[in-house]
Each structure stands twice: as C-alpha cells, then as structure tokens.
Amino acid sequence: MALILNGCVLLLKEHHLLKKADIVFDNEITAVTYDSRRAQKDGMFFCKGTHFKEDYLRQAQQNGASTYVAQQEYPEIKGMNALIVNDVQKAMALLGAAFYDYPQNELFIIAFTGTKGKTTSAYFTHGILQAYTNKKAALFSTINRILGPQPQQTFKSSLTTPESLDLFREMRQAVDNGMTHLVMEVSSQAYKRNRVYGLHYDVGFFLNITPDHIGPNEHPNFADYLHCKLQLLVNSNICVLNADSDQFLDVYQAAKTTTDPDNIYTFKRQTAKESQQADFIYHSMESTLAQSAFVLEGISSKAKQLNIDGQYELDLAGDFNETNAVSAIIGAGLAGVPYQLAQTAINNVHIPGRMETIFTQKHGTIYIDYAHNYGSMKALLSFLKRKNPHSKVTVVVGSTGNKGVSRRSGFGKALSEYADTAYLTTDDPGFEDPQKIAEEIDQHIDHKRVQVQIILDRKMAIKTAINQSQPGDLVVLAGKGEDAYQKIRGIDTPYPNDFNVAQQVVQELE
C-alpha cells in the first residue's frame, strides 16, 4: 500500500479540505497512522484529537514519519512535509481509503444504525450471509470484528465504528482474506467524528431513534443526534426503514433526498389498526422465554420480488428481537439470499451477550443482556413482565461514564416501570465516580415501587441479586453482556463478564 504525495494534495483539494501544502521533499507514503508510537519510515501522521500535543508529532518524526496532516501548522517541526487542512478527521478518512486502495468497492456492504438493535440485527444478517457465501462475510460490530474464517481473524471491538484508518485497514484485510460481504454497525459518533466520511453502503438500515448519547462529550441535543443518524441513509444506495420508528417522517424524507423511492423499503409490525402501510409487515406467532416465531409478508410488488415471505423461528427470547430479525432477513434478501436459506440460517445464529439464560433450581432464572439505554431496557423488561406477570423482577445495572449521560434518567424510568428490586453498580465508569453515576440513576427511580441498593463491586452486586432471589424470580444483568473488561480511567481492566460471574455464583449456591 502506498500513496503519492502529489496525489494526496489533489484529493484534499478536490474535497475542499486543503488550506496549505508545505512540501519539503516529494516522496512515496508507505504507512499511515494517528498513533505516534506506530509511525514508520516514509509514513504519514495525522495530528488529531482535542488533547493532541506537539510532542506526539515529534515522536512520530523520530519514528520515521515524513509527512504530517493537521489543522494547524507546527513551525518548530523541521524537515517534514505538512498538509494543513480544515478538518483532519475528514482528511484522514479520505486518505485512509485511498491508501488502502478503496476496499469498500470490493465488498457488498450492509450497514445498520439505530438507538437499539444494531448489534442483534448485524449478527443475524452476518449469520445468514455466512451460510449464503460459504463463510465469506465480514462483521464490524460493537462486540466483535470478524475479518475472515480463521479464529485469529476474529477479535474484540473497542468501538462500535472504529477510526477511519482502522476501518479501511480492516476492510482491506477482510478483502485480502477472501471476504465478499461486510455487515457493519454505524454509530452516530461515527458521523459526528467523521470516521466514515466518504463511505457509501449498498444497503443502509435505520432501525429506530430515541434520545441517547446526549451529553458534554457526545451530542449536544437530540436534533444533532438524529441528524448524525440520518447521514447513513444519505450515503446508502438502498435504504430500509423501520416504519414503527419515532421520527419516521423525518427519516423517510432524509432517505428520499438522495435515494429513489423505488430503492427505499419500509417494514413494520402488523397491528389491529393499520394507520400506515409498509412494503413488509410481520406478526409474532409465538414468543417464549427461550424462542420466538413470526411470519414475514411482502406487501408491495418490489417486496414480493425478494421472495423472502414465510415463517421464521429464532433461538432467542424476546418478541422485540423479531424486529431485528426482520431487518436482517430483508438485508440478506437484498443481497440475493432466498427464503429457505435465510429461514434455516437465522435459527442457528447465536449472539454473544444477548438474552443469555441461566436456569437455577432455587434462585429463579437469570438473563444476561447488553441492554444499555432506556429503549433496550424497556423492551427487555416489558417482555419479561408480560410473559411472567407474577414474577419478581430484579435488575443489576450501571451506566457508563463520560458518555450517554441521558441513559441514567432512562434507566431510572425503566426500572420504575418494570422492576421490583434494583442493584445499582459499576459499568465502564471511565473517569467519572461510579458512586455518583449510581446516585444519578437512583434520583430517577420511584422508591415507592422499587427497592434500591447501591453495590459498586459488580461481582458482589450480581452475587447479592442472585442470592436474594427465589424460585420463579427473574434476575436481569444488564449492560455488559459478555464484555471481558471494565473501562476505568482509560484502562481496560479485566473482568470475567456477567455470564461467567453469574455461572460461578450459581455453582457456589447450588
């Protein structure tokens, strides 16, 4: 992989990003990075981040970098080419794609955005495509990155949507590993931070929208959050929209700005009173605490042409997961997958940390799920309550630090509506005090309806919740799923994950 410096200048000019080019010597760029520790000889270094220091650029130069890209000049740095731009994140995305020779052009990309359901939808879609392509589908999700068929080509994700250089590098690795399809989650922050600037998708999904990721370090308000979410549709060849989503008219109008209506598909759950038609409708046949079954029907002529109508079964609890499954089936159908294959494949998909279940003899049933905002928590708890109206519901939950501040009130609201007992604990506190985070959640809980206890040690909170439960009770461990770490003061601190902690507690008790 390499870039010609003059080509970089032309590309930045074409996108109106270049303010000044100070070329000391012309050379071929053979490496790109934003981490000064990984800078290499004849490499390009991107000066990004609100806390960027000139010392990082000096270190990059010492490690051999010959060119830097920044939003300001560094006159004290001698002997380096300088490309001064008005947006270093956009420049990094454009030059990163070029350096890795536009790997997105060699992949059929299906992308998902939404406040909840992105990961589940992505995993369902990936599972179907794996069967269809003989394991040539890559996955970029909140949980894992899958770049190829070998075990060493799967690894844990640090961000839902990675930095642009990492994104295009991993796309190139996936292509080189023989992958033909890619399923990816796209976060609102990916657009807010221009991580996916210039990237286009074959199929883009808008699943839903509720207030989230609103705070000092994220989106200033809901309007900004929605605007960033809608950018995925503007950059998709085919748009698929959940017609049951809030703000649907805004979502549909955004899709129409760049997409012909013939390439916009809508789907919705069938209800007794249909106020709005959709291309696809679906209805639940059966939903238990272990499985669910539903029927999908194409209504419009273009929907019928995909030939994906029929009954489907999921080896996953929760009727709320049917929406995610429907999106996956439609996405796979647009990639050419027929009904029979999709029906078989989706029933075999396992999603790590989603509605994992542990049955006990004396302490009820334990559910481990990534539910991490009001929408996902409400969907999970309301389902459990509907299926078990007389069961006591205990929830162990915390909230992340330095982001998603609005989630704290949402957790309080969901707990007040559906829980009997809540244990507030630690969940990736970052640089915030977990005690204060727990107290913020607690302020929004109706204490007349819910018994609340703060236990910051997450293992102890889980142990206490299970120990205090009786046969027939439901214990929900929310937020972390199978995460094997806690993010504490910038360090990924090892943590066994909620499932393993719960299993050990049950073994000790029973």
Side-chain angles (χ1 to χ4, degrees):
M1 301 296 169
L3 286 174
I4 303 300
L5 192 56
N6 285 337
C8 296
V9 170
L10 291 174
L11 184 59
L12 294 174
K13 283 183 177 179
E14 180 184 345
H15 288 266
H16 309 289
L17 290 171
L18 188 68
K19 292 166 63 178
K20 180 181 179 182
D22 187 3
I23 308 299
V24 179
F25 55 93
D26 195 7
N27 71 307
E28 190 176 60
I29 304 298
T30 57
V32 290
T33 187
Y34 57 86
D35 186 339
S36 58
R37 298 165 296 184
R38 297 182 179 180
Q40 300 177 30
K41 185 178 184 297
D42 293 328
M44 176 177 284
F45 176 68
F46 294 89
C47 307
K48 77 168 194 70
T50 54
H51 302 293
F52 183 79
K53 300 177 183 178
E54 190 172 314
D55 287 344
Y56 299 153
L57 179 52
R58 294 185 187 279
Q59 184 181 21
Q61 184 180 30
Q62 290 171 2
N63 288 337
S66 60
T67 303
Y68 72 86
V69 183
Q71 289 179 201
Q72 68 176 69
E73 293 184 65
Y74 292 94
E76 298 299 317
I77 303 297
K78 308 295 183 182
M80 289 187 77
N81 298 319
L83 301 180
I84 310 305
V85 296
N86 52 42
D87 191 317
V88 70
Q89 289 279 169
K90 289 182 178 180
M92 188 165 71
L94 285 173
L95 295 176
F99 180 81
Y100 290 107
D101 197 18
Y102 304 100
Q104 66 269 35
N105 295 339
E106 302 176 61
L107 294 163
F108 187 94
I109 303 178
I110 299 177
F112 291 90
T113 198
T115 303
K116 62 177 181 176
K118 294 189 298 297
T119 301
T120 304
S121 299
Y123 263 86
F124 277 143
T125 309
H126 178 257
I128 298 171
L129 289 178
Q130 281 287 75
Y132 178 63
T133 64
N134 191 24
K135 297 183 178 180
K136 293 182 179 178
L139 174 68
F140 294 177
S141 81
T142 301
I143 303 174
N144 284 334
R145 296 270 191 280
I146 300 177
L147 306 184
Q150 303 304 318
Q152 66 271 21
Q153 292 165 343
T154 296
F155 53 92
K156 290 292 181 183
S157 300
S158 57
L159 291 170
T160 296
T161 312
E163 285 289 359
S164 56
L165 289 188
D166 303 321
L167 181 70
F168 290 112
R169 184 187 71 250
E170 290 172 4
M171 281 187 184
R172 173 49 59 192
Q173 290 173 354
V175 170
D176 291 347
N177 291 336
M179 301 296 100
T180 57
H181 292 65
L182 167 64
V183 182
M184 63 183 292
E185 298 178 46
V186 182
S187 66
S188 59
Q189 287 295 300
Y191 277 105
K192 184 71 173 175
R193 311 293 182 190
N194 287 310
R195 295 175 190 154
V196 289
Y197 180 74
L199 180 61
H200 290 265
Y201 319 97
D202 293 280
V203 183
F205 279 83
F206 192 100
L207 299 176
N208 47 66
I209 185 81
T210 55
D212 195 18
H213 294 287
I214 297 169
N217 300 318
E218 297 181 284
H219 299 282
N221 49 50
F222 179 75
D224 186 75
Y225 177 54
L226 175 60
H227 171 76
C228 289
K229 285 286 189 192
L230 294 176
Q231 299 314 299
L232 180 135
L233 301 178
V234 177
N235 291 284
S236 297
N237 297 332
I238 298 174
C239 297
V240 187
L241 318 176
N242 178 6
D244 291 325
S245 173
D246 290 347
Q247 314 292 323
F248 176 72
L249 291 179
D250 290 336
V251 173
Y252 190 82
Q253 289 301 321
K256 282 207 310 181
T257 58
T258 54
T259 305
D260 188 290
D262 287 343
N263 287 325
I264 299 175
Y265 293 77
T266 59
F267 66 94
K268 71 189 304 291
R269 186 182 292 274
Q270 187 175 26
T271 58
K273 293 183 179 180
E274 295 294 339
S275 59
Q276 178 181 322
Q277 195 56 271
D279 294 299
F280 291 94
I281 59 171
Y282 65 99
H283 67 270
S284 182
M285 294 184 62
E286 180 185 10
S287 187
T288 69
L289 292 174
Q291 296 176 315
S292 60
F294 62 93
V295 172
L296 175 65
E297 180 183 359
I299 302 300
S300 67
S301 58
K302 65 184 179 184
K304 291 177 180 178
Q305 288 175 9
L306 295 185
N307 295 315
I308 54 176
D309 291 22
Q311 181 177 330
Y312 295 84
E313 295 180 0
L314 304 177
D315 189 23
L316 186 67
D319 54 5
F320 53 91
N321 282 312
E322 292 170 1
T323 302
N324 304 321
V326 166
S327 68
I329 293 162
I330 296 171
L334 289 166
V337 181
Y339 164 70
Q340 199 67 47
L341 190 152
Q343 182 197 43
T344 302
I346 200 167
N347 194 34
N348 296 321
V349 175
H350 171 255
I351 305 170
R354 295 292 183 191
M355 289 298 283
E356 302 273 15
T357 308
I358 300 175
F359 299 99
T360 75
Q361 296 178 7
K362 302 177 182 178
H363 300 277
T365 305
I366 304 164
Y367 294 93
I368 299 93
D369 193 84
Y370 275 106
H372 64 283
N373 54 41
Y374 173 71
S376 54
M377 181 74 84
K378 178 181 179 180
L380 170 59
L381 297 184
S382 63
F383 168 76
L384 293 176
K385 204 69 173 177
R386 281 199 312 275
K387 295 298 179 181
N388 300 268
H390 304 296
S391 294
K392 175 186 173 185
V393 176
T394 296
V395 181
V396 178
V397 67
S399 191
T400 54
N402 306 112
K403 68 176 185 177
V405 176
S406 59
R407 295 176 183 172
R408 300 169 194 181
S409 60
F411 282 143
K413 182 180 179 183
L415 292 170
S416 298
E417 291 170 344
Y418 302 105
D420 299 292
T421 303
Y423 292 91
L424 305 182
T425 189
T426 302
D427 181 348
D428 293 346
F431 291 91
E432 286 195 65
D433 180 352
Q435 176 72 29
K436 291 183 177 179
I437 295 175
E439 290 173 354
E440 282 189 46
I441 299 173
D442 189 44
Q443 290 174 6
H444 299 278
I445 298 177
D446 182 351
H447 288 255
K448 294 179 181 178
R449 301 180 61 180
V450 186
Q451 291 184 330
V452 181
Q453 188 174 347
I454 296 176
I455 303 177
L456 296 183
D457 184 322
R458 193 172 180 97
K459 291 181 186 177
M460 183 57 65
I462 292 172
K463 182 175 183 179
T464 304
I466 296 173
N467 189 42
Q468 293 298 313
S469 297
Q470 305 295 322
D473 289 353
L474 306 178
V475 180
V476 177
L477 313 181
K480 288 202 68 65
E482 291 193 4
D483 284 353
Y485 56 83
Q486 286 267 25
K487 291 182 177 292
I488 302 173
R489 299 199 170 276
I491 298 173
D492 286 351
T493 305
Y495 171 72
N497 83 38
D498 284 359
F499 185 85
N500 289 334
V501 171
Q503 268 196 327
Q504 183 176 351
V505 169
V506 172
Q507 289 173 0
E508 292 173 355
L509 292 174
E510 300 190 348

